[in-house]
Amino acid sequence: MNTSASITQSPSKLTVFLLAIRPRTLPASLSPVVLGTALVPASQFNWAIALCALGVALFLQIAVNLANDYFDAKSGIDTTARLGPIRVTQSNLAPAQIVALGVALFLCLATFCGLALVIHTGWPLLVVGLICILATLAYSGGPYPLASHALGEITVLIFFGWVAVLGSYYVHTQSLSPQVFWLSNALGLVLAAIMLVNNLRDIKTDRIARKYTLAVLLGDSCSRLLYTTLVIAAAFAHIVGFSFAAEDPHLSEMFLPLLVCLPSGYFCCRDARRLQGRELNRLLGSTALLGLLYAGTTALLHLLFR
């Protein structure tokens, strides 16, 4: 059954907009900012800076979603055989030019928020911002699309883990720490698992389109094993992170986030072993919620015990 059957023949503009920006993916940009900001010492926290950092993350996430929608339709990767959520360009729900303008608009909004952070922290952050914009466009577009060359998962780890968590911390403190780095790895690995699920679901269609994702190269069984490995590795990175804490962490702060996330992590890993085809769309959402649950729990406990 075609996915588009679930959409009315004349969807509202709001419906099309929501389909295009993919709200269910947005926790992937919210959670690293929550985690990085919560690790900031209370004396250095600034609400305006926190909101600007959140704006950069959200607007870049929406821009990359729109760019992915646009470039995958233009390159022929998205077809009617697609198992994932509806893409508005491929489904002719929105003109390609409008989607491209949406990419430009949200990149401008991210740039506006980012310039406020640059003014606050200094020009080196401008270089990071330019790299983020380039990565947004290069993920699905350009002469060497990262998503088509088995670089999707590492790109998520770098930009949603390292850059987003460390960046959210740095714009407040103008410093970095080993603890924040390892906790960025913990969250980044979970978020990379979201990308892996997306690519696992699309192995057949991506192989036909010659989109060589990591899942296409590894195959179905190894990709499912890698998913579980990423989740377990995230737990170890969390523990390592607290071994680098400036002060001896409270045991609850170290282990309670893992206990809270254990049931969700277990069900995610179980589903990664047995869900097939469109069923994997459910795992995309539950993995994103796992990342948000981990970030929120770790952030809350850090605020309580610091």
mmCIF file of all heavy atoms in Angstrom, residues 27-78:
data_model
loop_
_atom_site.group_PDB
_atom_site.id
_atom_site.type_symbol
_atom_site.label_atom_id
_atom_site.label_comp_id
_atom_site.label_asym_id
_atom_site.label_seq_id
_atom_site.Cartn_x
_atom_site.Cartn_y
_atom_site.Cartn_z
ATOM 1 N N PRO A 27 13.342 15.995 18.394
ATOM 2 C CA PRO A 27 14.025 15.697 19.661
ATOM 3 C C PRO A 27 15.524 15.452 19.488
ATOM 4 O O PRO A 27 16.290 15.654 20.427
ATOM 5 C CB PRO A 27 13.314 14.431 20.143
ATOM 6 C CG PRO A 27 11.940 14.540 19.584
ATOM 7 C CD PRO A 27 12.117 15.171 18.227
ATOM 8 N N ALA A 28 15.940 15.049 18.284
ATOM 9 C CA ALA A 28 17.367 14.820 18.045
ATOM 10 C C ALA A 28 18.165 16.111 18.115
ATOM 11 O O ALA A 28 19.373 16.084 18.390
ATOM 12 C CB ALA A 28 17.570 14.159 16.677
ATOM 13 N N SER A 29 17.523 17.256 17.866
ATOM 14 C CA SER A 29 18.215 18.532 18.003
ATOM 15 C C SER A 29 17.977 19.161 19.372
ATOM 16 O O SER A 29 18.803 19.939 19.859
ATOM 17 C CB SER A 29 17.771 19.500 16.904
ATOM 18 O OG SER A 29 16.370 19.695 16.926
ATOM 19 N N LEU A 30 16.862 18.829 19.999
ATOM 20 C CA LEU A 30 16.552 19.367 21.326
ATOM 21 C C LEU A 30 17.421 18.731 22.400
ATOM 22 O O LEU A 30 17.974 19.427 23.270
ATOM 23 C CB LEU A 30 15.066 19.130 21.642
ATOM 24 C CG LEU A 30 14.591 19.483 23.050
ATOM 25 C CD1 LEU A 30 14.741 20.973 23.298
ATOM 26 C CD2 LEU A 30 13.136 19.054 23.243
ATOM 27 N N SER A 31 17.572 17.407 22.362
ATOM 28 C CA SER A 31 18.253 16.698 23.453
ATOM 29 C C SER A 31 19.711 17.111 23.649
ATOM 30 O O SER A 31 20.146 17.264 24.804
ATOM 31 C CB SER A 31 18.128 15.179 23.262
ATOM 32 O OG SER A 31 18.495 14.783 21.972
ATOM 33 N N PRO A 32 20.533 17.319 22.603
ATOM 34 C CA PRO A 32 21.916 17.721 22.872
ATOM 35 C C PRO A 32 22.033 19.104 23.499
ATOM 36 O O PRO A 32 22.930 19.337 24.324
ATOM 37 C CB PRO A 32 22.590 17.671 21.493
ATOM 38 C CG PRO A 32 21.499 17.643 20.507
ATOM 39 C CD PRO A 32 20.324 17.022 21.173
ATOM 40 N N VAL A 33 21.135 20.012 23.133
ATOM 41 C CA VAL A 33 21.169 21.347 23.729
ATOM 42 C C VAL A 33 20.762 21.277 25.201
ATOM 43 O O VAL A 33 21.350 21.938 26.060
ATOM 44 C CB VAL A 33 20.262 22.317 22.950
ATOM 45 C CG1 VAL A 33 20.253 23.692 23.611
ATOM 46 C CG2 VAL A 33 20.734 22.430 21.506
ATOM 47 N N VAL A 34 19.752 20.458 25.500
ATOM 48 C CA VAL A 34 19.336 20.261 26.894
ATOM 49 C C VAL A 34 20.500 19.721 27.723
ATOM 50 O O VAL A 34 20.796 20.228 28.814
ATOM 51 C CB VAL A 34 18.136 19.290 26.970
ATOM 52 C CG1 VAL A 34 17.882 18.844 28.410
ATOM 53 C CG2 VAL A 34 16.893 19.949 26.386
ATOM 54 N N LEU A 35 21.195 18.715 27.195
ATOM 55 C CA LEU A 35 22.289 18.100 27.943
ATOM 56 C C LEU A 35 23.457 19.070 28.112
ATOM 57 O O LEU A 35 23.954 19.268 29.232
ATOM 58 C CB LEU A 35 22.761 16.842 27.217
ATOM 59 C CG LEU A 35 23.923 16.078 27.862
ATOM 60 C CD1 LEU A 35 23.565 15.653 29.285
ATOM 61 C CD2 LEU A 35 24.309 14.874 27.017
ATOM 62 N N GLY A 36 23.911 19.669 27.016
ATOM 63 C CA GLY A 36 25.055 20.561 27.097
ATOM 64 C C GLY A 36 24.807 21.764 27.978
ATOM 65 O O GLY A 36 25.690 22.184 28.748
ATOM 66 N N THR A 37 23.595 22.310 27.920
ATOM 67 C CA THR A 37 23.261 23.489 28.717
ATOM 68 C C THR A 37 23.162 23.147 30.201
ATOM 69 O O THR A 37 23.583 23.924 31.059
ATOM 70 C CB THR A 37 21.943 24.106 28.225
ATOM 71 O OG1 THR A 37 22.063 24.430 26.838
ATOM 72 C CG2 THR A 37 21.609 25.366 28.997
ATOM 73 N N ALA A 38 22.614 21.976 30.524
ATOM 74 C CA ALA A 38 22.467 21.582 31.926
ATOM 75 C C ALA A 38 23.811 21.383 32.610
ATOM 76 O O ALA A 38 23.907 21.517 33.840
ATOM 77 C CB ALA A 38 21.648 20.299 32.017
ATOM 78 N N LEU A 39 24.854 21.069 31.847
ATOM 79 C CA LEU A 39 26.172 20.859 32.424
ATOM 80 C C LEU A 39 26.902 22.162 32.733
ATOM 81 O O LEU A 39 27.948 22.151 33.385
ATOM 82 C CB LEU A 39 27.024 20.016 31.466
ATOM 83 C CG LEU A 39 26.505 18.595 31.200
ATOM 84 C CD1 LEU A 39 27.309 17.935 30.087
ATOM 85 C CD2 LEU A 39 26.560 17.744 32.463
ATOM 86 N N VAL A 40 26.341 23.279 32.280
ATOM 87 C CA VAL A 40 26.954 24.585 32.515
ATOM 88 C C VAL A 40 26.824 24.959 33.991
ATOM 89 O O VAL A 40 25.747 24.832 34.570
ATOM 90 C CB VAL A 40 26.265 25.653 31.637
ATOM 91 C CG1 VAL A 40 26.773 27.054 31.975
ATOM 92 C CG2 VAL A 40 26.471 25.343 30.159
ATOM 93 N N PRO A 41 27.909 25.437 34.642
ATOM 94 C CA PRO A 41 27.804 25.915 36.030
ATOM 95 C C PRO A 41 26.760 27.021 36.137
ATOM 96 O O PRO A 41 26.619 27.859 35.237
ATOM 97 C CB PRO A 41 29.216 26.446 36.319
ATOM 98 C CG PRO A 41 30.109 25.691 35.392
ATOM 99 C CD PRO A 41 29.293 25.486 34.141
ATOM 100 N N ALA A 42 26.031 27.033 37.245
ATOM 101 C CA ALA A 42 24.928 27.981 37.426
ATOM 102 C C ALA A 42 25.397 29.423 37.287
ATOM 103 O O ALA A 42 24.668 30.271 36.758
ATOM 104 C CB ALA A 42 24.283 27.767 38.794
ATOM 105 N N SER A 43 26.618 29.716 37.726
ATOM 106 C CA SER A 43 27.128 31.086 37.689
ATOM 107 C C SER A 43 27.386 31.573 36.264
ATOM 108 O O SER A 43 27.514 32.780 36.025
ATOM 109 C CB SER A 43 28.418 31.190 38.502
ATOM 110 O OG SER A 43 29.409 30.326 37.963
ATOM 111 N N GLN A 44 27.470 30.642 35.295
ATOM 112 C CA GLN A 44 27.786 31.014 33.913
ATOM 113 C C GLN A 44 26.595 30.850 32.970
ATOM 114 O O GLN A 44 26.697 31.170 31.786
ATOM 115 C CB GLN A 44 28.963 30.178 33.397
ATOM 116 C CG GLN A 44 30.261 30.442 34.139
ATOM 117 C CD GLN A 44 31.387 29.531 33.668
ATOM 118 O OE1 GLN A 44 31.416 28.344 34.002
ATOM 119 N NE2 GLN A 44 32.298 30.068 32.891
ATOM 120 N N PHE A 45 25.478 30.381 33.499
ATOM 121 C CA PHE A 45 24.307 30.137 32.655
ATOM 122 C C PHE A 45 23.658 31.448 32.242
ATOM 123 O O PHE A 45 23.553 32.396 33.021
ATOM 124 C CB PHE A 45 23.296 29.268 33.396
ATOM 125 C CG PHE A 45 22.007 29.079 32.643
ATOM 126 C CD1 PHE A 45 21.933 28.196 31.580
ATOM 127 C CD2 PHE A 45 20.870 29.807 32.982
ATOM 128 C CE1 PHE A 45 20.752 28.024 30.872
ATOM 129 C CE2 PHE A 45 19.686 29.643 32.288
ATOM 130 C CZ PHE A 45 19.636 28.739 31.230
ATOM 131 N N ASN A 46 23.197 31.507 30.968
ATOM 132 C CA ASN A 46 22.551 32.698 30.428
ATOM 133 C C ASN A 46 21.361 32.238 29.587
ATOM 134 O O ASN A 46 21.526 31.513 28.605
ATOM 135 C CB ASN A 46 23.560 33.482 29.569
ATOM 136 C CG ASN A 46 22.980 34.765 29.017
ATOM 137 O OD1 ASN A 46 21.912 34.788 28.415
ATOM 138 N ND2 ASN A 46 23.702 35.864 29.215
ATOM 139 N N TRP A 47 20.153 32.667 29.978
ATOM 140 C CA TRP A 47 18.949 32.210 29.286
ATOM 141 C C TRP A 47 18.952 32.595 27.810
ATOM 142 O O TRP A 47 18.541 31.814 26.947
ATOM 143 C CB TRP A 47 17.704 32.786 29.964
ATOM 144 C CG TRP A 47 17.162 31.928 31.056
ATOM 145 C CD1 TRP A 47 17.206 32.168 32.395
ATOM 146 C CD2 TRP A 47 16.508 30.666 30.902
ATOM 147 N NE1 TRP A 47 16.623 31.133 33.094
ATOM 148 C CE2 TRP A 47 16.183 30.201 32.202
ATOM 149 C CE3 TRP A 47 16.170 29.873 29.808
ATOM 150 C CZ2 TRP A 47 15.533 28.998 32.428
ATOM 151 C CZ3 TRP A 47 15.514 28.670 30.027
ATOM 152 C CH2 TRP A 47 15.211 28.240 31.315
ATOM 153 N N ALA A 48 19.375 33.820 27.497
ATOM 154 C CA ALA A 48 19.369 34.274 26.111
ATOM 155 C C ALA A 48 20.294 33.417 25.251
ATOM 156 O O ALA A 48 19.955 33.040 24.119
ATOM 157 C CB ALA A 48 19.791 35.748 26.041
ATOM 158 N N ILE A 49 21.463 33.094 25.794
ATOM 159 C CA ILE A 49 22.419 32.253 25.075
ATOM 160 C C ILE A 49 21.843 30.850 24.884
ATOM 161 O O ILE A 49 21.979 30.243 23.815
ATOM 162 C CB ILE A 49 23.758 32.201 25.829
ATOM 163 C CG1 ILE A 49 24.391 33.594 25.871
ATOM 164 C CG2 ILE A 49 24.710 31.199 25.188
ATOM 165 C CD1 ILE A 49 24.607 34.210 24.514
ATOM 166 N N ALA A 50 21.186 30.325 25.918
ATOM 167 C CA ALA A 50 20.592 28.990 25.829
ATOM 168 C C ALA A 50 19.526 28.942 24.736
ATOM 169 O O ALA A 50 19.456 27.978 23.957
ATOM 170 C CB ALA A 50 19.998 28.592 27.177
ATOM 171 N N LEU A 51 18.687 29.968 24.660
ATOM 172 C CA LEU A 51 17.627 30.000 23.647
ATOM 173 C C LEU A 51 18.208 30.143 22.240
ATOM 174 O O LEU A 51 17.696 29.544 21.286
ATOM 175 C CB LEU A 51 16.655 31.141 23.945
ATOM 176 C CG LEU A 51 15.770 30.950 25.179
ATOM 177 C CD1 LEU A 51 14.945 32.197 25.453
ATOM 178 C CD2 LEU A 51 14.848 29.738 25.011
ATOM 179 N N CYS A 52 19.283 30.930 22.112
ATOM 180 C CA CYS A 52 19.931 31.056 20.800
ATOM 181 C C CYS A 52 20.540 29.722 20.367
ATOM 182 O O CYS A 52 20.439 29.335 19.194
ATOM 183 C CB CYS A 52 21.008 32.134 20.846
ATOM 184 S SG CYS A 52 20.361 33.821 20.815
ATOM 185 N N ALA A 53 21.158 29.014 21.308
ATOM 186 C CA ALA A 53 21.736 27.707 20.989
ATOM 187 C C ALA A 53 20.644 26.731 20.564
ATOM 188 O O ALA A 53 20.812 25.954 19.604
ATOM 189 C CB ALA A 53 22.502 27.160 22.196
ATOM 190 N N LEU A 54 19.509 26.770 21.261
ATOM 191 C CA LEU A 54 18.385 25.914 20.891
ATOM 192 C C LEU A 54 17.852 26.284 19.514
ATOM 193 O O LEU A 54 17.523 25.407 18.698
ATOM 194 C CB LEU A 54 17.272 26.044 21.933
ATOM 195 C CG LEU A 54 16.037 25.174 21.718
ATOM 196 C CD1 LEU A 54 16.396 23.699 21.723
ATOM 197 C CD2 LEU A 54 14.988 25.466 22.782
ATOM 198 N N GLY A 55 17.787 27.574 19.224
ATOM 199 C CA GLY A 55 17.328 28.018 17.916
ATOM 200 C C GLY A 55 18.233 27.530 16.799
ATOM 201 O O GLY A 55 17.752 27.050 15.767
ATOM 202 N N VAL A 56 19.546 27.629 16.997
ATOM 203 C CA VAL A 56 20.486 27.133 15.985
ATOM 204 C C VAL A 56 20.239 25.654 15.711
ATOM 205 O O VAL A 56 20.146 25.217 14.558
ATOM 206 C CB VAL A 56 21.947 27.356 16.440
ATOM 207 C CG1 VAL A 56 22.916 26.616 15.513
ATOM 208 C CG2 VAL A 56 22.285 28.841 16.456
ATOM 209 N N ALA A 57 20.132 24.861 16.787
ATOM 210 C CA ALA A 57 19.972 23.417 16.632
ATOM 211 C C ALA A 57 18.661 23.069 15.927
ATOM 212 O O ALA A 57 18.635 22.255 14.989
ATOM 213 C CB ALA A 57 20.035 22.738 18.001
ATOM 214 N N LEU A 58 17.558 23.675 16.356
ATOM 215 C CA LEU A 58 16.254 23.364 15.769
ATOM 216 C C LEU A 58 16.171 23.803 14.307
ATOM 217 O O LEU A 58 15.694 23.054 13.440
ATOM 218 C CB LEU A 58 15.147 24.033 16.577
ATOM 219 C CG LEU A 58 14.770 23.371 17.907
ATOM 220 C CD1 LEU A 58 13.779 24.234 18.669
ATOM 221 C CD2 LEU A 58 14.193 21.986 17.692
ATOM 222 N N PHE A 59 16.644 25.003 14.022
ATOM 223 C CA PHE A 59 16.544 25.517 12.656
ATOM 224 C C PHE A 59 17.448 24.738 11.697
ATOM 225 O O PHE A 59 17.076 24.487 10.543
ATOM 226 C CB PHE A 59 16.873 27.006 12.625
ATOM 227 C CG PHE A 59 15.866 27.860 13.340
ATOM 228 C CD1 PHE A 59 16.264 28.968 14.082
ATOM 229 C CD2 PHE A 59 14.507 27.561 13.275
ATOM 230 C CE1 PHE A 59 15.334 29.755 14.750
ATOM 231 C CE2 PHE A 59 13.565 28.347 13.940
ATOM 232 C CZ PHE A 59 13.985 29.448 14.682
ATOM 233 N N LEU A 60 18.631 24.336 12.173
ATOM 234 C CA LEU A 60 19.494 23.517 11.319
ATOM 235 C C LEU A 60 18.882 22.139 11.081
ATOM 236 O O LEU A 60 18.985 21.582 9.982
ATOM 237 C CB LEU A 60 20.883 23.373 11.949
ATOM 238 C CG LEU A 60 21.816 24.577 11.820
ATOM 239 C CD1 LEU A 60 23.137 24.300 12.532
ATOM 240 C CD2 LEU A 60 22.077 24.928 10.352
ATOM 241 N N GLN A 61 18.240 21.577 12.109
ATOM 242 C CA GLN A 61 17.580 20.275 11.947
ATOM 243 C C GLN A 61 16.466 20.359 10.902
ATOM 244 O O GLN A 61 16.348 19.497 10.028
ATOM 245 C CB GLN A 61 17.005 19.825 13.287
ATOM 246 C CG GLN A 61 16.099 18.610 13.202
ATOM 247 C CD GLN A 61 16.850 17.313 13.063
ATOM 248 O OE1 GLN A 61 17.596 16.944 13.940
ATOM 249 N NE2 GLN A 61 16.668 16.626 11.955
ATOM 250 N N ILE A 62 15.661 21.400 10.981
ATOM 251 C CA ILE A 62 14.589 21.570 10.003
ATOM 252 C C ILE A 62 15.175 21.791 8.613
ATOM 253 O O ILE A 62 14.687 21.228 7.615
ATOM 254 C CB ILE A 62 13.676 22.746 10.404
ATOM 255 C CG1 ILE A 62 12.921 22.396 11.697
ATOM 256 C CG2 ILE A 62 12.682 23.059 9.295
ATOM 257 C CD1 ILE A 62 12.127 23.545 12.281
ATOM 258 N N ALA A 63 16.240 22.576 8.524
ATOM 259 C CA ALA A 63 16.877 22.827 7.226
ATOM 260 C C ALA A 63 17.408 21.542 6.612
ATOM 261 O O ALA A 63 17.248 21.310 5.404
ATOM 262 C CB ALA A 63 18.002 23.851 7.383
ATOM 263 N N VAL A 64 18.028 20.698 7.423
ATOM 264 C CA VAL A 64 18.574 19.454 6.872
ATOM 265 C C VAL A 64 17.446 18.504 6.465
ATOM 266 O O VAL A 64 17.565 17.767 5.480
ATOM 267 C CB VAL A 64 19.562 18.791 7.850
ATOM 268 C CG1 VAL A 64 18.859 18.052 8.973
ATOM 269 C CG2 VAL A 64 20.498 17.835 7.116
ATOM 270 N N ASN A 65 16.333 18.513 7.202
ATOM 271 C CA ASN A 65 15.182 17.701 6.816
ATOM 272 C C ASN A 65 14.628 18.142 5.464
ATOM 273 O O ASN A 65 14.312 17.315 4.596
ATOM 274 C CB ASN A 65 14.084 17.797 7.877
ATOM 275 C CG ASN A 65 14.400 17.015 9.134
ATOM 276 O OD1 ASN A 65 15.342 16.227 9.167
ATOM 277 N ND2 ASN A 65 13.643 17.245 10.187
ATOM 278 N N LEU A 66 14.506 19.449 5.282
ATOM 279 C CA LEU A 66 13.997 19.974 4.020
ATOM 280 C C LEU A 66 14.984 19.718 2.879
ATOM 281 O O LEU A 66 14.580 19.370 1.759
ATOM 282 C CB LEU A 66 13.730 21.473 4.150
ATOM 283 C CG LEU A 66 12.580 21.875 5.076
ATOM 284 C CD1 LEU A 66 12.542 23.392 5.254
ATOM 285 C CD2 LEU A 66 11.250 21.387 4.530
ATOM 286 N N ALA A 67 16.272 19.886 3.167
ATOM 287 C CA ALA A 67 17.284 19.642 2.138
ATOM 288 C C ALA A 67 17.274 18.179 1.718
ATOM 289 O O ALA A 67 17.406 17.853 0.531
ATOM 290 C CB ALA A 67 18.667 20.046 2.661
ATOM 291 N N ASN A 68 17.109 17.287 2.690
ATOM 292 C CA ASN A 68 17.039 15.860 2.401
ATOM 293 C C ASN A 68 15.832 15.544 1.522
ATOM 294 O O ASN A 68 15.918 14.765 0.563
ATOM 295 C CB ASN A 68 16.965 15.090 3.719
ATOM 296 C CG ASN A 68 17.191 13.605 3.562
ATOM 297 O OD1 ASN A 68 16.473 12.799 4.124
ATOM 298 N ND2 ASN A 68 18.193 13.216 2.793
ATOM 299 N N ASP A 69 14.695 16.170 1.845
ATOM 300 C CA ASP A 69 13.473 16.009 1.058
ATOM 301 C C ASP A 69 13.709 16.474 -0.377
ATOM 302 O O ASP A 69 13.345 15.781 -1.351
ATOM 303 C CB ASP A 69 12.357 16.834 1.710
ATOM 304 C CG ASP A 69 10.977 16.510 1.164
ATOM 305 O OD1 ASP A 69 10.767 16.674 -0.044
ATOM 306 O OD2 ASP A 69 10.110 16.100 1.958
ATOM 307 N N TYR A 70 14.337 17.628 -0.528
ATOM 308 C CA TYR A 70 14.562 18.220 -1.845
ATOM 309 C C TYR A 70 15.573 17.423 -2.671
ATOM 310 O O TYR A 70 15.293 17.018 -3.805
ATOM 311 C CB TYR A 70 15.052 19.659 -1.662
ATOM 312 C CG TYR A 70 15.468 20.337 -2.944
ATOM 313 C CD1 TYR A 70 14.533 20.923 -3.787
ATOM 314 C CD2 TYR A 70 16.815 20.394 -3.313
ATOM 315 C CE1 TYR A 70 14.912 21.549 -4.972
ATOM 316 C CE2 TYR A 70 17.205 21.020 -4.494
ATOM 317 C CZ TYR A 70 16.253 21.595 -5.313
ATOM 318 O OH TYR A 70 16.640 22.203 -6.486
ATOM 319 N N PHE A 71 16.747 17.172 -2.104
ATOM 320 C CA PHE A 71 17.825 16.534 -2.862
ATOM 321 C C PHE A 71 17.507 15.070 -3.192
ATOM 322 O O PHE A 71 17.856 14.590 -4.272
ATOM 323 C CB PHE A 71 19.148 16.625 -2.108
ATOM 324 C CG PHE A 71 19.753 17.998 -2.112
ATOM 325 C CD1 PHE A 71 19.977 18.679 -0.928
ATOM 326 C CD2 PHE A 71 20.108 18.609 -3.307
ATOM 327 C CE1 PHE A 71 20.539 19.945 -0.926
ATOM 328 C CE2 PHE A 71 20.670 19.875 -3.322
ATOM 329 C CZ PHE A 71 20.883 20.550 -2.126
ATOM 330 N N ASP A 72 16.865 14.346 -2.262
ATOM 331 C CA ASP A 72 16.551 12.945 -2.537
ATOM 332 C C ASP A 72 15.491 12.807 -3.630
ATOM 333 O O ASP A 72 15.481 11.822 -4.380
ATOM 334 C CB ASP A 72 16.084 12.233 -1.264
ATOM 335 C CG ASP A 72 17.251 11.805 -0.388
ATOM 336 O OD1 ASP A 72 18.404 12.087 -0.770
ATOM 337 O OD2 ASP A 72 17.015 11.189 0.674
ATOM 338 N N ALA A 73 14.601 13.798 -3.726
ATOM 339 C CA ALA A 73 13.627 13.777 -4.816
ATOM 340 C C ALA A 73 14.304 14.110 -6.142
ATOM 341 O O ALA A 73 14.053 13.452 -7.157
ATOM 342 C CB ALA A 73 12.504 14.772 -4.533
ATOM 343 N N LYS A 74 15.161 15.107 -6.124
ATOM 344 C CA LYS A 74 15.829 15.522 -7.353
ATOM 345 C C LYS A 74 16.767 14.441 -7.891
ATOM 346 O O LYS A 74 16.930 14.290 -9.103
ATOM 347 C CB LYS A 74 16.622 16.811 -7.112
ATOM 348 C CG LYS A 74 15.776 18.004 -6.699
ATOM 349 C CD LYS A 74 14.843 18.476 -7.793
ATOM 350 C CE LYS A 74 15.567 19.281 -8.846
ATOM 351 N NZ LYS A 74 14.647 19.856 -9.848
ATOM 352 N N SER A 75 17.388 13.681 -6.989
ATOM 353 C CA SER A 75 18.340 12.654 -7.412
ATOM 354 C C SER A 75 17.671 11.328 -7.748
ATOM 355 O O SER A 75 18.316 10.405 -8.236
ATOM 356 C CB SER A 75 19.378 12.423 -6.305
ATOM 357 O OG SER A 75 18.765 11.894 -5.142
ATOM 358 N N GLY A 76 16.365 11.205 -7.454
ATOM 359 C CA GLY A 76 15.647 9.972 -7.745
ATOM 360 C C GLY A 76 15.755 8.920 -6.663
ATOM 361 O O GLY A 76 15.279 7.786 -6.835
ATOM 362 N N ILE A 77 16.350 9.266 -5.522
ATOM 363 C CA ILE A 77 16.451 8.311 -4.418
ATOM 364 C C ILE A 77 15.070 8.036 -3.829
ATOM 365 O O ILE A 77 14.718 6.893 -3.518
ATOM 366 C CB ILE A 77 17.419 8.836 -3.338
ATOM 367 C CG1 ILE A 77 18.848 8.802 -3.873
ATOM 368 C CG2 ILE A 77 17.309 8.010 -2.062
ATOM 369 C CD1 ILE A 77 19.869 9.430 -2.940
ATOM 370 N N ASP A 78 14.266 9.099 -3.676
ATOM 371 C CA ASP A 78 12.891 8.923 -3.188
ATOM 372 C C ASP A 78 11.980 8.550 -4.343
ATOM 373 O O ASP A 78 11.914 9.264 -5.355
ATOM 374 C CB ASP A 78 12.389 10.220 -2.541
ATOM 375 C CG ASP A 78 12.949 10.432 -1.148
ATOM 376 O OD1 ASP A 78 13.473 9.469 -0.572
ATOM 377 O OD2 ASP A 78 12.865 11.574 -0.645
#
